[in-house]
Every structure is written in C-alpha cells, then in structure tokens.
Amino acid sequence: MEKIFEHIPHVERYIYERSFINEISILFTYKQLELDFDQKVAPVIEGLDLEIVSDLSKHVPIMIKDQDAMIMLTNSAAVVSLSTKTYKDFRNSGLIWDHVEKLLSAMKVSESVWSFTKGNRWAFNKKFQSEKQREVMRVVLSDDLINSSHNSSLYVEESDDKSHVFSCRYSMGELQNGNSHLDMKIMIVSNLYKVENLKKQVFEMNDLIFDCWSWCISERMKCFMKGNQNDNR
C-alpha cells in the first residue's frame, strides 16, 4: 500500500506473538434513512443465517451476531465490532465484510465517511507514580509519537491527499487492583466508502492502520511482542 501520511511510513506487516489489543471496530456512516427491517433487513439476515440478538419490538438499533463479530444497524450508521480472536488473522474476517456489504446494499444506503478504530491496553503488575509515568510511556510508545504529540497525549495527522485523518490518544490509568495500565487508541477516518467491494476497502484500511500502529510503538516493545508469529496485530 502506498504511503499517504507524511510522517508515517509504510512497513511490512508482521504478526506478533504477544498482543495487547482490546478494541477493534469499524463505523460506516450513511445518509439518514428509515430502517425497513421487515422488507429489507430481515430477508438478508435470514438468507445469511445470522443471529439477531436485539429486541425486535423496537427494531432500531438492530444487533446481529456474525461469527465472533457484532454488527449494529441504525438509521444513520452501521458499526462492526470484532473480537480480538477474530483479529488474530484479519484476512479470515472476509466473510463478515461480504455480509455487511449485502446488508448495506439491501438497505440502499447513501455512503458517507467511515472510520477504523483499534485500541490497545498494557496492564502492569505494579502502580507507577505520576513522576514515573512518562518514563513508562517511552518504554511502550515511540519517541516519534510522544515528541510529535507535544506532551498532549494526542496526535493528529491529515493525509497528503486530504482523504484520511489519523489520530492517536494515549493515557495512563489505574486498574481495579491498583496497578497501572497504559491505553492507546488509534483511529483513521476516511472519506466516502463504496458498498461495492467493501471487503477490499476494509482490508486496505487494516493495512494502513497497521502502518499507523507500528509508527506509534517503540522498537523495544516490538521486540518484546515478537515471537512465534501466531498472534494478532
């Protein structure tokens, strides 16, 4: 995939043994419509043998279970949340995107912007006082990210062609047991997607999110995460 952000290089994908992913979701927005469940959505769900897990007496939002993913349909957006198990090999999620394409096509949506969000959490076995937290961050996160965010814990960059915006937010917190954790959430918001060939677009966005994730992580942490190449990214 070609480089589209000035400061974020394209890198070869690598599957790490250890992973700290705790959130993967994709949001597809569209021009507001009146969701016609009985005539448009239900036949597709039945034909694909998907499981409805929401209260159909209310119809909106409609929650659909697809393998290890959850699909939520509303009048203005579809949200797909993936389990970290599914994300172990993202290429195995292709059938999910084929199903989402069929649902959006049946709904006759007018496509708008979409976003890909990926969250990581590093949980530590001790509590770090505030004066030590910046030092801990530099162990996990790259100098490029920390220096570019100017101590604000937020970095934002627009792509050269103005079609994408990348953001990264990170912070230290405290677990219920009192130990510290470091959270990092990255997101790419992109211009208009197309329902047709949705899977190809999602896979390309996943490649781009990996570039951005790699730019945010320190080499020391990458070395810690490397192993038998059997984990998620």
Side-chain angles (χ1 to χ4, degrees):
M1 186 173 185
E2 64 180 282
K3 178 177 178 292
I4 70 167
F5 292 108
E6 179 181 356
H7 299 100
I8 300 173
H10 175 60
V11 295
E12 290 297 320
R13 294 177 58 79
Y14 185 91
I15 302 177
Y16 291 89
E17 179 185 5
R18 301 178 179 88
S19 176
F20 301 88
I21 297 173
N22 67 345
E23 176 186 359
I24 312 103
S25 62
I26 301 184
L27 169 71
F28 303 94
T29 67
Y30 38 79
K31 185 177 179 180
Q32 184 147 347
L33 50 78
E34 191 64 35
L35 197 56
D36 187 342
F37 176 79
D38 294 325
Q39 298 298 318
K40 293 183 178 180
V41 181
V44 177
I45 293 174
E46 183 178 353
L48 298 174
D49 197 26
L50 303 179
E51 179 185 355
I52 301 173
V53 295
S54 55
D55 182 359
L56 290 183
S57 65
K58 298 181 180 179
H59 280 194
V60 178
I62 299 170
M63 299 292 295
I64 304 166
K65 189 173 188 299
D66 187 352
Q67 303 174 57
D68 291 314
M70 293 297 297
I71 303 170
M72 182 177 71
L73 302 178
T74 74
N75 290 322
S76 57
V79 183
V80 183
S81 297
L82 300 178
S83 70
T84 54
K85 177 182 177 182
T86 301
Y87 203 77
K88 274 192 172 184
D89 187 349
F90 193 78
R91 294 282 162 175
N92 289 339
S93 69
L95 191 59
I96 295 170
W97 310 115
D98 288 338
H99 293 168
V100 173
E101 178 177 333
K102 287 180 170 64
L103 287 165
L104 296 179
S105 179
M107 292 159 55
K108 300 187 184 303
V109 302
S110 296
E111 305 97 326
S112 186
V113 299
W114 62 309
S115 64
F116 194 130
T117 301
K118 177 179 176 181
N120 290 80
R121 168 169 288 187
W122 291 267
F124 304 100
N125 59 7
K126 63 182 293 185
K127 180 177 181 178
F128 295 102
Q129 301 301 325
S130 57
E131 62 270 16
K132 286 285 187 181
Q133 291 182 359
R134 299 302 293 182
E135 181 181 336
V136 172
M137 287 182 182
R138 287 193 178 273
V139 172
V140 178
L141 306 177
S142 69
D143 288 340
D144 286 336
L145 172 62
I146 294 175
N147 295 339
S148 298
S149 55
H150 304 294
N151 296 319
S152 68
S153 297
L154 174 66
Y155 178 77
V156 179
E157 181 173 344
E158 187 176 40
S159 64
D160 295 335
D161 64 0
K162 314 301 181 186
S163 63
H164 298 69
V165 175
F166 163 66
S167 67
C168 175
R169 182 182 295 276
Y170 55 93
S171 63
M172 295 286 295
E174 189 173 304
L175 299 168
Q176 289 186 345
N177 62 8
N179 293 340
S180 296
H181 66 81
L182 170 60
D183 284 350
M184 183 186 77
K185 181 179 290 188
I186 61 177
M187 179 173 67
I188 295 178
V189 179
S190 180
N191 286 346
L192 187 71
Y193 64 94
K194 293 293 184 183
V195 171
E196 185 178 4
N197 294 323
L198 188 66
K199 177 171 61 180
K200 180 176 183 292
Q201 298 165 72
V202 171
F203 283 173
E204 289 175 348
M205 183 75 93
N206 183 59
D207 288 342
L208 184 58
I209 206 88
F210 180 77
D211 287 348
C212 294
W213 176 89
S214 183
W215 181 81
C216 292
I217 304 299
S218 72
E219 293 304 316
R220 181 175 177 179
M221 177 52 60
K222 289 176 187 176
C223 288
F224 175 75
M225 294 172 66
K226 284 182 178 180
N228 60 12
Q229 300 192 33
N230 189 32
D231 210 335
N232 42 351
R233 293 163 286 183

